[in-house]
Amino acid sequence: MGRPALLVTTVIPGFDPAMLPRNFDCRTTEVGVLNNDELLSRTEGNDAVACTLVSKISAEFLQRFPRLKMVANIAVGYDNIDVTAATKYGVIVSNTPGVLDSATADLAFTLLLSIARRIPEAERYLRAGQWKSFGLDLLTGAGVFGKTIGLVGFGRIGQAMAARSLGFSMRVLYSQRNRASLETERKYGATYVSLEELLRNSDFVSVHCPLTAETRYLFNDDRLSMMKEGAFLINTARGAVVEESALIRALQTGKIAGAALDVFENEPAVSPHLLTLPNVVLVPHIGSATTETRKAMALLALSSIDKAFSGVQPENLVNPEVWTIFLKKLAADGLVRT
Ligand code: DGY
């Protein structure tokens, strides 16, 4: 029996070599994340790749490396992978659901408080030596307690955000394609509404849906114009759910009071206009960035690879319909473990 070859395209916080699956030939990187050129030059000969959302796994990529059998995305979102093409080429794809809900919701709520209470702006003011005296009108922001939050997407992360919102006695509205169970709604005191109703009634709108063909530019001029005067938008999901140029217009005209963004349309590029606006909080895609969470994500991805190559179907495959083809490929390449 041969040993499968695995390429890990990123350093892992809290990495310990014991995290790597046993009986694999593992290639890892010493610093940062492989860029797409490095990925192209290092994928040949690998049976599996564990990568992050910066790796573009396109149809061309999959066609170029026929030996590849599995892509384990170290992320819950997988819009960087052409899953339709992976399915066509018999490549299984896994993601990391469940392990990053709390970290991401913590960051989303941090952003909500930061934009409402103008924290980065206040800190810039203080550091610039502008603070001369206490003032009743100095850097006044928006209250959060008892306000209405609208969650666009009510999966695990949306629900974790609802749990945090309850701590601030907020009214929770949510919208998504399918209504959640009554039990879930009761647990969070959440009300299912249409997206339009949510936008018209929420003081804070927080985005928690995946990026798909349907959600790309969900927040365009039209939808942003439906938001309540003085409302705030928080996005920790994917940048392209919000049309950045439309958001800039809504912020510049004062249609909405502010936005707090962890994700951007063309990461790592950030629109220069956004950088000049005072009513935004901007952070570099750090939703899941706690050492424990990033380690848990990597562990889940690596253990999914280990499982799959041991012939056990991981629960977190996003295209489980390819599983039997994957097993046949293992057999054809002499990688079946007995
Ligand atoms: C994800 O998991 O999709 C995040 O965006 C990165 O942690």
Side-chain angles (χ1 to χ4, degrees):
M1 188 194 75
R3 283 158 71 89
L6 163 65
L7 174 66
V8 183
T9 67
T10 173
V11 289
I12 297 165
F15 177 73
D16 170 346
M19 288 166 71
L20 292 170
R22 262 176 287 170
N23 303 320
F24 275 67
D25 285 330
C26 295
R27 292 133 208 195
T28 54
T29 173
E30 302 302 312
V31 277
V33 179
L34 297 185
N35 63 33
N36 280 308
D37 287 341
E38 292 164 331
L39 178 68
L40 278 176
S41 67
R42 294 187 54 182
T43 299
E44 189 62 56
N46 284 287
D47 299 283
V49 166
C51 63
T52 70
L53 49 85
V54 304
S55 297
K56 296 286 166 247
I57 311 291
S58 63
E60 297 70 44
F61 178 89
L62 292 160
Q63 193 179 23
R64 184 161 163 181
F65 302 109
R67 191 183 170 92
L68 195 62
K69 299 166 187 63
M70 177 167 188
V71 176
N73 214 32
I74 310 177
V76 68
Y78 47 87
D79 46 283
N80 55 310
I81 301 171
D82 185 338
V83 177
T84 310
T87 303
K88 175 174 156 200
Y89 292 113
V91 174
I92 52 173
V93 176
S94 64
N95 67 342
T96 62
V99 294
L100 48 83
D101 307 341
S102 299
T104 308
D106 285 349
L107 194 269
F109 213 86
T110 302
L111 289 178
L112 184 156
L113 290 170
S114 301
I115 188 67
R117 298 301 302 273
R118 305 171 62 180
I119 301 301
E121 197 185 337
E123 209 210 359
R124 287 194 295 270
Y125 176 89
L126 182 147
R127 283 180 188 269
Q130 289 175 279
W131 188 27
K132 301 295 176 226
S133 136
F134 171 85
L136 269 190
D137 59 349
L138 179 62
L139 289 159
T140 55
V144 172
F145 193 86
K147 295 283 177 69
T148 298
I149 185 164
L151 303 169
V152 179
F154 198 53
R156 286 176 305 268
I157 300 174
Q159 289 174 27
M161 186 66 170
R164 283 147 184 76
S165 308
L166 289 183
F168 284 71
S169 289
M170 298 177 89
R171 180 164 76 111
V172 178
L173 307 179
Y174 77 95
S175 90
Q176 64 179 4
R177 204 173 335 155
N178 299 314
R179 186 168 176 173
S181 69
L182 284 179
E183 193 190 341
T184 302
E185 288 187 354
R186 253 184 241 125
K187 182 169 172 191
Y188 301 108
T191 306
Y192 185 54
V193 291
S194 67
L195 179 58
E196 180 167 350
E197 208 178 325
L198 180 146
L199 297 173
R200 295 206 186 283
N201 291 290
S202 300
D203 301 296
F204 297 91
V205 173
S206 189
V207 185
H208 300 286
C209 59
L211 174 63
T212 62
E214 291 79 48
T215 63
R216 181 173 294 276
Y217 284 2
L218 185 68
F219 285 82
N220 53 16
D221 283 311
D222 249 21
R223 299 253 167 58
L224 288 163
S225 74
M226 290 175 191
M227 284 178 68
K228 214 171 150 178
E229 284 304 311
F232 296 88
L233 181 69
I234 295 104
N235 188 6
T236 51
R238 282 293 181 268
V241 176
V242 178
E243 187 179 356
E244 221 158 84
S245 56
L247 175 64
I248 291 164
R249 281 189 288 279
L251 289 163
Q252 279 171 337
T253 58
K255 167 63 207 161
I256 66 171
L261 308 173
D262 177 44
V263 288
F264 301 86
E265 218 181 298
N266 299 303
E267 292 176 14
V270 177
S271 158
H273 294 293
L274 276 178
L275 295 173
T276 62
L277 293 172
N279 51 342
V280 291
V281 176
L282 310 169
V283 294
H285 205 143
I286 55 167
S288 60
T290 69
T291 308
E292 310 89 294
T293 301
R294 290 283 164 85
K295 187 173 173 183
M297 291 162 68
L299 260 178
L300 177 54
L302 294 170
S303 68
S304 304
I305 292 172
D306 199 15
K307 252 189 179 174
F309 282 80
S310 307
V312 180
Q313 183 175 341
E315 284 159 16
N316 50 327
L317 293 187
V318 301
N319 58 350
E321 64 273 27
V322 190
W323 178 244
T324 47
I325 298 174
F326 169 82
L327 290 178
K328 283 186 194 148
K329 285 179 156 191
L330 283 192
D333 283 356
L335 295 174
V336 176
R337 294 183 192 176
T338 47

